[in-house]
Amino acid sequence: MATLTVILVDGSIFAAVLFLLSIGLTLIFGVLRILNIAHGSIYALGAYMASFLALRVLGVGASPYWSYAMLLAGGVIVGLIVGPVVERLFLRQVYGRPEAIQLLLTFALFLILDDLMKLIFGTQPLIVSRPYSLLGQFSLGRVTYPWYDVLLIAASVALGGLLVWVVRGTRFGKLIVSVITDREISMAIGIDVGRMYLVSFTVGALCAAVGGALIAPTIAVVPGVAVDVVVLSFAVIAIGGMGSLEGAAVGALIVGLVRAVAIQLFPELELVMIYLIMVLVLMAKPAGLWGEAEVRRI
Amino acid sequence: MAGMRRWPAPMIALALLLVVPLLTPGWIVFVLTLALTKFMAVLAVALFLRGGLISFGHALFYAIGAYGVGFAIKWLGMADAVLLAPLGAVLGAGVAALVGLVMARYRGVFFAMLNLGVSMILYAGLLKFYWVTGGTDGIGVRSPTYLGLAPPREALRTAFYYYTLGLAGIVVYIVYRVLASPVGYFMKALGDNEVRIEYQGESVRRVMYLTYILSGGLAGLAGVLAAFAVGHIVPEYAYWAQSGEFVFVALLGGYGSVPGPLMGSLAFEFIRTYASKYMPEAWQATLGVIMLVIIMFLPGGLWTFYAAVAGRGRRRSEGLARG
C-alpha cells in the first residue's frame, strides 16, 4: 500500500515534468511538421540560464523568493531569443525539403547548442537547490515530499490548460488549427502562415525553456541533459500521438507512472521500460494513442 | 549497365589506398584503417538515406559486432579476424532481421526515433549488466590473428590495414550490386513515392526489410573491425552520438553513391584528428556547423565536387547509383 502511494505520487511528479518537456515538442511538430531535435538543447539552455540567474540573485543576498522570479525570467529570456532566431535563420531554409533534411538540420543545431552551453556555462554542474527546499515539505505516509513538486504539477496543469484554451478558445488558436489542417488553403484565405510558424515555434521553444527553468532546481544541471530529454519527450509524444496536446498529457502520465513503477520494483530496467512501452504502443497503434493515422501520399 | 563498363571510382580509390602504407607514417595508416571501418557503417546508413530515411540507431549493430569480438576473446579466447568478421556481419544481420520486422513498418521521424530508442536500450543494457560487459570500463581487445597466424609485431598495423581494405573492397562490390538491383532502385524510389512502388508490384515492407538486414550486417562488420582497430570496446559504441556520427559522415560525403560515404569517412577522420588537436572542446559544434553548411549550400555532399569535375557524360553513366 505504501509502495502504491509512492508510485502514484512519484508517477504524477514525473508525469508533470515530462509534460512540461514534451508539450512544446508536440506543438512544434503539430504546426511545422518538424521534429525539433534541438528541443532538448533549448530545454537545457533554459535550465542553465535559470540556474545561473537564480544563483546570482541568491549570491547577492536578496530575499530567496526572488530566485523564483529569476528562474522564470531565465526560461522566458532563452525562449524568446532562441525561438525566433532558430526559426527565422535556420528552419525557414528547409520548409518543403525532405523530412530527413529537416531532421538533420535540427540535429546540427542540437550539436552546436550543446557545445555552446559547455563554452558559456562550463562543464561543472550548476546546482540551485534553494528554491526546491524553500517551500518546505509535507509527508504522505512515511515519505516526505517538497512542496516544490506540487508546484511543478500545478505548473504543468496550468500550462496545459492555457495551451488548450489558446488553441480551442481564441482567434489565434483557430488560425493555428487552420494552418495545421491545410497550409495552402490557409494562405489562400489570407492567413500569414510564415508568421504562424514563427509564433508557434517561439511558443514551443518557450515551453521547453520555461520547463527547463522550472525543473532546474530539482536536478543538477550538467552537460548531456539535452539528449535524454529529446528521447524521453519523443517517447511521450509518440505514445500519445504526435502533434496532439491531449496526447502529450496521456503519454506523460503513462511514461511517468511506468517510470515510477520501474524505479520501485526493478530499478535496472528504468530506461528500458520506457522505450519498451514506446515500441509496444507504436506497434499496436502507429499513430499513437491520440493521433490520427496519416493519409498516404500519392 | 552503362556504369558497370568502366572501373567504378571507388575501386580506383581503393587501389590508391593499397600503396598508401608504403609511403606514409604509421599514424596515417591508423587513421585510414579507422576511416575504412567507419565507411562500412556509413554505407549502411546511406542505404536508408537514399530512400529519405534517417536512422539514429545504427550504432546498435556496430556495437553488436564490436561486443561479439569482445565476448569471443573473453569466453572463447579467440581473436581471429578472419573468423570473427563474418561472424560479426551475421550477428548484425541476424539482429537486424529481428528488429527489422518492426522497423520496416515505419517511416520518417518514427523510423529515426525508434532506431534511436532500440540502440539506447542496448546502450543502457551494456552499462547496467557490467558483470558481463565490463560496464563503462569496457573490454580490452588484443591484436587479431589471421586464421591462426599472428603477424610479426612491427607489421600488425599494416596487416590489419590491408585486411580492412580487402573487406572494404568486398563490401563496395556487394553494395554496388545491391544498388543496381531492383531492391536498390526501389529503396531509392521510397523517398519519392511509396505508393507507386506498390503499384509496380513490389512490397515496400520487403524492400525495407531486406535493406535493413543488409545494413545491419554492414554495421556489424564495421563494429568487428573497429573493435580490433581501436583495441578497446566501450558502451559508447551503441550511444546515439555514434549513430549521429554515421549519419553525419554520410551527409558529409554525399549519400547517393558508394564513393560519397568513402570520401566522407576519409575526410571525417582527418577533420577529427585535427579538430581534437586544435579545438577539442568545440568538436560537436564543428560537426554541427559543417552539417548546416552542407544542408544549406551543398546538399550532395563532398561528392558534388568530384561529380562536377568529372563532367557531364561521366555523371550520366554513373547516374544509377547517385541520388
Side-chain angles (χ1 to χ4, degrees):
Chain A
M1 197 55 216
T3 324
L4 190 66
T5 324
V6 172
I7 287 177
L8 281 179
V9 177
D10 277 356
S12 328
I13 297 168
F14 288 146
V17 169
L18 288 167
F19 184 71
L20 285 175
L21 297 181
S22 44
I23 190 145
L25 192 68
T26 202
L27 182 75
I28 292 171
F29 186 85
V31 180
L32 283 74
R33 293 278 133 190
I34 290 178
L35 181 73
N36 179 26
I37 295 179
H39 191 76
S41 317
I42 300 175
Y43 155 86
L45 210 54
Y48 264 117
M49 184 60 105
S51 312
F52 178 76
L53 290 179
L55 280 177
R56 271 295 148 87
V57 84
L58 289 172
V60 299
S63 157
Y65 286 97
W66 275 104
S67 60
Y68 294 106
M70 287 297 123
L71 285 177
L72 209 57
V76 171
I77 291 172
V78 167
L80 285 183
I81 293 176
V82 176
V85 168
V86 167
E87 203 276 342
R88 283 280 146 147
L89 287 185
F90 300 107
L91 289 185
R92 190 142 287 197
Q93 316 283 331
V94 294
Y95 293 143
R97 303 254 314 256
E99 200 173 26
I101 295 295
Q102 300 176 336
L103 262 181
L104 284 172
L105 180 92
T106 60
F107 180 56
L109 290 174
F110 165 81
L111 291 176
I112 295 172
L113 287 174
D114 217 39
D115 263 7
L116 210 60
M117 276 182 277
K118 282 184 216 154
L119 287 179
I120 298 174
F121 297 103
T123 48
Q124 292 298 314
L126 281 185
I127 300 170
V128 199
S129 51
R130 197 66 209 283
Y132 190 49
S133 51
L134 195 60
L135 296 177
Q137 301 173 327
F138 66 98
S139 26
L140 208 68
R142 279 166 296 152
V143 195
T144 56
Y145 291 94
W147 279 107
Y148 192 86
D149 284 342
V150 181
L151 187 76
L152 276 182
I153 296 178
S156 72
V157 171
L159 188 66
L162 183 71
L163 280 178
V164 168
W165 173 72
V166 168
V167 171
R168 298 272 154 77
T170 64
R171 187 183 130 78
F172 178 75
K174 292 200 170 72
L175 297 183
I176 287 279
V177 171
S178 154
V179 172
I180 292 174
T181 320
D182 196 318
R183 184 164 170 255
E184 285 182 3
I185 295 209
S186 308
M187 274 172 147
I189 59 176
I191 299 175
D192 186 347
V193 173
R195 199 171 135 262
M196 285 294 153
Y197 277 20
L198 175 67
V199 174
S200 310
F201 189 82
T202 308
V203 172
L206 260 177
C207 291
V210 171
L214 291 178
I215 294 160
T218 68
I219 57 170
V221 184
V222 285
V225 286
V227 193
D228 300 339
V229 168
V230 186
V231 179
L232 267 182
S233 50
F234 175 79
V236 167
I237 71 172
I239 288 173
M242 312 264 295
S244 147
L245 296 179
E246 296 88 341
V250 174
L253 272 176
I254 293 176
V255 174
L257 284 175
V258 167
R259 195 173 152 206
V261 170
I263 285 181
Q264 286 301 319
L265 303 182
F266 359 79
E268 267 85 42
L269 300 178
E270 181 203 333
L271 259 182
V272 180
M273 289 289 278
I274 293 172
Y275 293 122
L276 218 57
I277 301 247
M278 176 171 95
V279 173
L280 287 179
V281 168
L282 288 182
M283 277 167 71
K285 207 161 176 297
L289 294 176
W290 242 258
E292 291 160 28
E294 201 174 320
V295 184
R296 293 214 293 186
R297 280 168 297 147
I298 300 218
Chain B
M1 296 289 115
M4 301 305 287
R5 225 179 291 144
R6 59 174 79 230
W7 276 92
M11 282 299 175
I12 298 170
L14 286 179
L16 272 180
L17 288 171
L18 269 177
V19 294
V20 162
L22 308 174
L23 309 171
T24 55
W27 70 270
I28 289 194
V29 177
F30 176 67
V31 172
L32 284 178
T33 312
L34 280 184
L36 286 173
T37 306
K38 294 274 170 65
F39 161 61
M40 301 176 198
V42 173
L43 261 183
V45 173
L47 286 176
F48 279 103
L49 274 171
R50 286 173 75 241
L53 289 168
I54 295 189
S55 162
F56 281 126
H58 264 63
L60 171 74
F61 309 110
Y62 188 65
I64 284 171
Y67 274 88
V69 172
F71 292 144
I73 289 176
K74 218 167 139 183
W75 293 333
L76 308 176
M78 174 192 75
D80 197 295
V82 180
L83 296 179
L84 286 178
L87 186 76
V90 169
L91 262 180
V95 175
L98 277 180
V99 180
L101 287 173
V102 178
M103 293 301 169
R105 298 175 53 189
Y106 296 96
R107 314 282 182 273
V109 292
F110 293 99
F111 184 78
M113 301 307 281
L114 270 177
N115 271 299
L116 177 68
V118 175
S119 74
M120 291 301 279
I121 292 179
L122 180 71
Y123 174 71
L126 291 175
L127 277 183
K128 298 274 166 150
F129 298 100
Y130 50 85
W131 56 91
V132 189
T133 64
T136 45
D137 294 341
I139 304 174
V141 177
R142 62 166 188 259
S143 304
T145 56
Y146 302 88
L147 286 177
L149 300 172
R153 212 175 160 64
E154 61 279 3
L156 274 177
R157 190 179 270 175
T158 321
F160 190 67
Y161 172 75
Y162 279 116
Y163 180 61
T164 310
L165 190 61
L167 284 178
I170 297 173
V171 163
V172 165
Y173 176 74
I174 293 175
V175 172
Y176 251 102
R177 290 304 296 265
V178 170
L179 292 191
S181 76
V183 167
Y185 277 103
F186 279 126
M187 193 59 213
K188 182 161 151 32
L190 185 62
D192 300 329
N193 196 320
E194 195 180 320
V195 177
R196 288 208 187 155
I197 297 178
E198 305 237 329
Y199 283 169
Q200 297 195 6
E202 180 59 279
S203 149
V204 173
R205 199 175 282 184
R206 193 184 82 98
V207 169
M208 275 192 71
Y209 187 59
L210 291 177
T211 311
Y212 204 79
I213 293 176
L214 173 69
S215 74
L218 285 177
L221 176 62
V224 170
L225 296 174
F228 280 126
V230 178
H232 196 206
I233 308 166
V234 283
E236 270 67 27
Y237 275 58
Y239 199 49
W240 66 270
Q242 186 63 65
S243 306
E245 189 182 301
F246 296 148
V247 176
F248 170 78
V249 176
L251 184 75
L252 175 70
Y255 47 77
S257 61
V258 175
L262 181 62
M263 263 171 105
S265 314
L266 293 172
F268 178 78
E269 287 302 327
F270 282 96
I271 294 174
R272 171 150 71 188
T273 308
Y274 286 104
S276 61
K277 197 166 159 191
Y278 294 113
M279 36 182 192
E281 64 290 312
W283 165 237
Q284 284 192 11
T286 313
L287 291 187
V289 171
I290 297 177
M291 232 162 138
L292 280 183
V293 170
I294 290 180
I295 290 171
M296 291 187 184
F297 306 110
L298 199 70
L302 293 178
W303 179 245
T304 320
F305 291 126
Y306 174 81
V309 172
R312 302 199 64 192
R314 164 130 193 147
R315 196 178 310 165
R316 209 172 296 130
S317 70
E318 290 217 338
L320 74 128
R322 299 198 311 122

